[in-house]
Structures are given as structure tokens and as C-alpha cells.
Amino acid sequence: MRSVFREDHNMFRDQARRFIEREIAPYLPEWEKQGIVPKDIWLKAGEMGLLCSTVPEEYGGSGGDFGHSAVMIEELARVNATAVGFTTHSEIVAPYIVAYGSEEQKLKWLPKMVSGETIGVIAMSEPGIGSDLRSMRTQVRRDGDEYVVSGQKTFITNGGNADLVVTATKLDPTSKELTLVCVETDRQGFSRGRLLEKIGLKGQDTAELFFDEVRVPVSNRLGEENLGFKYLTHQLAWERLIIALRAAQSIETLLEETIEYTRERKVFGKPVFDFQNTRFKLAEVKAQATMLRAFVDSCLERVMRSDLPADVAAMAKLMGSELQGKLLDELLQLHGGYGFMSEYKIGRAWVDARVARIYGGTSEIMKEIISRNL
Ligand SMILES: Cc1cc2nc3c(=O)[nH]c(=O)nc-3n(C[C@H](O)[C@H](O)[C@H](O)COP(=O)(O)OP(=O)(O)OC[C@H]3O[C@@H](n4cnc5c(N)ncnc54)[C@H](O)[C@@H]3O)c2cc1C
């Protein structure tokens, strides 16, 4: 029983779970081989009202809150489907447009993002920079009623499928200030590089994007000039909590799975579960998972009250992702050789979890943020 959720959240969870079990989980291995999720699944999820759940009704959404978002994030994590990049689209890109978009932009882009016709991505990282965002180099210059964007982005989640790229740019290369410009991917001068080959999250298309003098109308700017960094950081507490929510769910799911596996697997004539080492390991995981859940739920309650401080969100991201790495490793060990086989959930979850300590701000950056308030 988790007090953070209401009845409408629980009903939404039933709907999300049914959809994910039927339409996503069985196809994950196939999508992993292809390195990309078909666009079709976006349309199906959109039809079921599972994308962009916090978008207000006047823009085609269902006007949900962070509780609905958390449900969807957890349900995807439950079947280890983080590679299906709905979360970046629904929980990061759409909220930027809701928060900072003009009425015209909201009416133009949000309904199609809700339906899955338009896939939105956020492009900040470049080959030369990731953590040090303010040093990025992608440039924008104004030419009459247009902006001209030039530069290169990398590691962009859903980059291969993207239709709309919220692009972090600089008007003045010597300044630290950023300007967010929305670039439709059918604009001349925009191109995608290859899908990047990764060690995990193999079904997620992660791409390089190139901007060669791409012209967009000035009305494609999101918010004001030079305030992009402020906009990007405003949402960061929630973005970091997303990773903690996934971690808590992933640990709980894999713990259940490992309890079942060790009860069935017999070694030296008895179930692996019966060795004291196994039960102690599982008990340790359970205790840590329970503590993580309590903390993450308290953060979720705070974010729902618009009261989640940046350092607390950083603690959730740091501890969630670090624990996920450590505990999934322990659970994998209890599977023996089968833990190393792709067909077992634990192996895939273990490798997919590695990136949680890197993206959304690395563990080291989380420690920087936390230490500023000591
Ligand atoms: C699968 C995947 C998906 C991604 N999706 C997106 C996306 O959709 N959009 C997007 O814009 N980006 C995305 N990224 C990029 C991601 O946000 C960056 O990889 C991340 O921010 C780290 O940046 P970097 O890779 O340049 O590492 P670097 O910044 O080069 O860091 C290298 C090392 O230095 C450490 N370090 C850096 N600064 C400090 C410091 N001040 N103190 C101590 N140590 C430090 C880091 O912690 C790290 O260990 C994605 C990355 C991956 C792997």
C-alpha cells in the first residue's frame, strides 16, 4: 500500500500494465535487435492515453499529475522497458513545451505528442560536452524572422525516431547562456547520424543529430532568448526523480524474480534459496529496497506539491542509481551462469541499469549538487 497514489492513479496503473504487458513486453527482444522501437507503438500508446499524461486537456492531454507520470515510469521499469523512450518524450519534452511554450506552439505540437504522431526529444549533449552543459557549442543566429542553427548533438534518446528536437543552442559562443530552439526534423539542413551502438538499453534509439544551417521561424524559440539554462534546470529535480523511481521499481521487481528463481533452482540437493547466504543476501536487498522506496515516495509526494529541492532530488538519483547497480549485481550473482544469459531478465536489467549512474547527470555531479548545501 503506497499512500502517495490515489484511486485514479491505481486505475491508470491497471490500464498501463495491461497495455505494456500486451503490446511492449513480448516485443522487447525484437526491438533490441533492431536498436529502435517502431513508431507504431507510439501511436498505440497515444491512442490508449498513455503518452504525455500531464498535458492539459485543452492541448489534447488528460491533465494528469506527477502521480500518473510515476505510474507509467514504474510500469515500464517493471518489465525493464526503459529502452522504450516514452518517458523522455512524455515527461521531459512535453513539460518543457507546457511550461515555456507559446499558445501557438502548444496548440501546434502538444496534441500530436499526446497522440504519438510527433516524437519529441531534448538535445543538449554534444561530442565535446555533457556534464558541463554551459560550455556547449551549437550556435544559433538570428536572420530576420528566422533563426539559423548550426552544430552537432550526440547521445540523443529517440533521436532516430524524432520529429521535434528541443535544441539547446547559444546566440553568443563566448557567453554561458543558452537558448532553446525547437527544430522539426523535416527542416532542410537537419540530419541524423547512425544509431549509436550501446552496451545496454539496446532497444532505445540513441542518435547523433546534425544541424547544418537549419532555418526555423523565430516563433520556434521556446521561452526567451538566453534563458534556456534556467528552463533546463527548472525541470531537473523531476527528471532526476524519474531515474530514482525506475531504480526502486527495478530492484523490487528483480528481487521478486530472484526469490522465485532461487526457490526453484536446486544445487547440492536443495533450493539455492535455502542456503543462508542466499537468504541473507535477499534480506539485505529487501531492506535496502524498502528504504529506497520510502525515500523515493516521499520525494514523489514533494514533487506533487511542487516542493522537491534540487539537492534532495539529487540524493534520490544518486542513491537510487547506485543501489540499483549494486543490488542488481547481487541478484545476478544468485542466478549463477543463467544470470549472464540474455534470456534471463536479471542480466538485461543489470546491464541496462548501468547508464542510470551516467545520464540525467552523473553520480559525481549529483554529489557536487548535494555538497553545495552541506
Ligand atoms: C543512453 C544515453 C542516453 C542519453 N540521452 C540524452 C538525451 O536524450 N539528451 C541529451 O542531451 N543527452 C543525453 N545523454 C547524455 C548524458 O546526459 C551525458 O552522457 C551525461 O550528462 C554525462 O556527460 P558526458 O557523457 O559528456 O560525460 P563527461 O561530462 O565527459 O564526464 C566524464 C566523467 O567526468 C566526471 N565529471 C564531470 N564533471 C565533473 C565534476 N565537476 N566533478 C567530478 N567529476 C566530474 C563525470 O562524472 C564522468 O565520470 C544520454 C546518454 C546516454 C548514455
Side-chain angles (χ1 to χ4, degrees):
M1 293 299 287
R2 293 168 61 193
S3 59
V4 64
F5 293 115
R6 301 183 304 259
E7 191 47 35
D8 59 313
H9 295 134
N10 297 336
M11 283 164 62
F12 183 63
R13 187 183 294 279
D14 288 343
Q15 190 193 345
R17 185 170 296 184
R18 273 199 304 274
F19 178 84
I20 290 167
E21 280 179 353
R22 191 182 62 236
E23 302 286 350
I24 291 184
Y27 303 100
L28 286 170
E30 191 181 318
W31 298 342
E32 284 184 359
K33 284 197 191 105
Q34 291 161 0
I36 193 162
V37 167
K39 279 203 166 183
D40 186 41
I41 192 65
W42 290 81
L43 297 173
K44 285 185 185 167
E47 207 175 309
M48 294 297 294
L50 299 175
L51 298 177
C52 308
S53 48
T54 55
V55 166
E57 287 174 12
E58 60 264 41
Y59 307 116
S62 49
D65 59 19
F66 284 121
H68 298 93
S69 303
V71 162
M72 196 60 194
I73 292 159
E74 289 175 2
E75 288 305 310
L76 286 166
R78 206 179 136 261
V79 299
N80 195 40
T82 299
V84 178
F86 292 169
T87 307
T88 309
H89 165 88
S90 299
E91 304 303 336
I92 298 180
V93 184
Y96 282 139
I97 297 173
V98 172
Y100 307 114
S102 64
E103 192 59 17
E104 182 200 338
Q105 290 172 338
K106 291 180 193 178
L107 289 169
K108 188 168 153 199
W109 291 320
L110 290 174
K112 288 191 170 175
M113 289 183 70
V114 172
S115 68
E117 289 162 89
T118 294
I119 298 176
V121 305
I122 175 82
M124 301 176 284
S125 305
E126 300 180 358
I129 69 100
S131 307
D132 182 15
L133 194 55
R134 280 175 180 268
S135 299
M136 47 147 285
R137 296 170 62 168
T138 296
Q139 274 204 41
V140 67
R141 69 182 156 83
R142 190 159 176 167
D143 183 14
D145 289 341
E146 290 180 321
Y147 282 123
V148 186
V149 181
S150 303
Q152 181 182 347
K153 298 290 180 183
T154 193
F155 298 152
I156 307 307
T157 300
N158 299 331
N161 271 333
D163 300 296
L164 182 68
V165 183
V166 177
T167 314
T169 65
K170 269 187 183 172
L171 276 159
D172 172 2
T174 62
S175 148
K176 292 271 178 196
E177 298 307 334
L178 311 183
T179 300
L180 301 184
V181 178
C182 299
V183 177
E184 294 96 341
T185 55
D186 55 4
R187 298 260 173 203
Q188 204 175 352
F190 174 85
S191 61
R192 300 167 218 261
R194 64 199 166 90
L195 295 181
L196 300 170
E197 277 186 37
K198 307 185 293 301
I199 59 167
L201 285 189
K202 283 179 177 285
Q204 181 197 84
D205 72 289
T206 311
E208 292 172 305
L209 305 179
F210 300 97
F211 304 80
D212 181 8
E213 298 268 300
V214 184
R215 288 181 172 268
V216 297
V218 166
S219 58
N220 272 28
R221 188 188 67 230
L222 198 60
E224 299 300 320
E225 285 186 352
N226 293 323
L227 291 185
F229 189 76
K230 187 176 145 211
Y231 302 150
L232 292 172
T233 50
H234 175 233
Q235 311 270 9
L236 272 181
W238 165 238
E239 291 165 26
R240 287 174 177 153
L241 182 58
I242 289 173
I243 293 166
L245 281 162
R246 271 187 200 140
Q249 181 64 54
S250 159
I251 297 165
E252 284 173 5
T253 304
L254 273 311
L255 172 62
E256 289 307 315
E257 200 269 337
T258 309
I259 292 170
E260 213 172 289
Y261 178 84
T262 52
R263 283 201 163 122
E264 277 167 20
R265 175 80 177 163
K266 290 205 169 62
V267 182
F268 293 106
K270 61 179 183 179
V272 173
F273 185 87
D274 287 355
F275 294 109
Q276 188 190 54
N277 175 66
T278 307
R279 286 181 289 104
F280 279 16
K281 286 285 175 206
L282 292 171
E284 281 169 20
V285 174
K286 177 82 184 177
Q288 292 175 85
T290 305
M291 285 189 44
L292 179 65
R293 173 58 76 199
F295 179 48
V296 169
D297 273 1
S298 82
C299 291
L300 182 56
E301 274 169 15
R302 292 187 75 170
V303 88
M304 286 165 83
R305 295 197 308 262
S306 305
D307 172 38
L308 181 63
D311 62 333
V312 179
M315 291 177 208
K317 202 244 167 204
L318 174 68
M319 291 314 295
S321 60
E322 293 285 338
L323 271 180
Q324 187 184 13
K326 176 173 155 258
L327 301 183
L328 294 194
D329 195 73
E330 302 271 19
L331 295 175
L332 188 150
Q333 186 69 14
L334 295 176
H335 282 72
Y338 291 101
F340 202 63
M341 299 296 124
S342 305
E343 75 209 70
Y344 279 77
K345 286 183 199 148
I346 184 68
R348 280 181 35 241
W350 173 78
V351 71
D352 285 356
R354 186 61 186 87
V355 76
R357 284 178 264 170
I358 296 168
Y359 66 10
T362 62
S363 288
E364 293 70 32
I365 296 296
M366 296 306 105
K367 290 177 199 174
E368 277 293 331
I369 294 168
I370 299 162
S371 67
R372 277 178 215 147
N373 279 3
L374 293 179

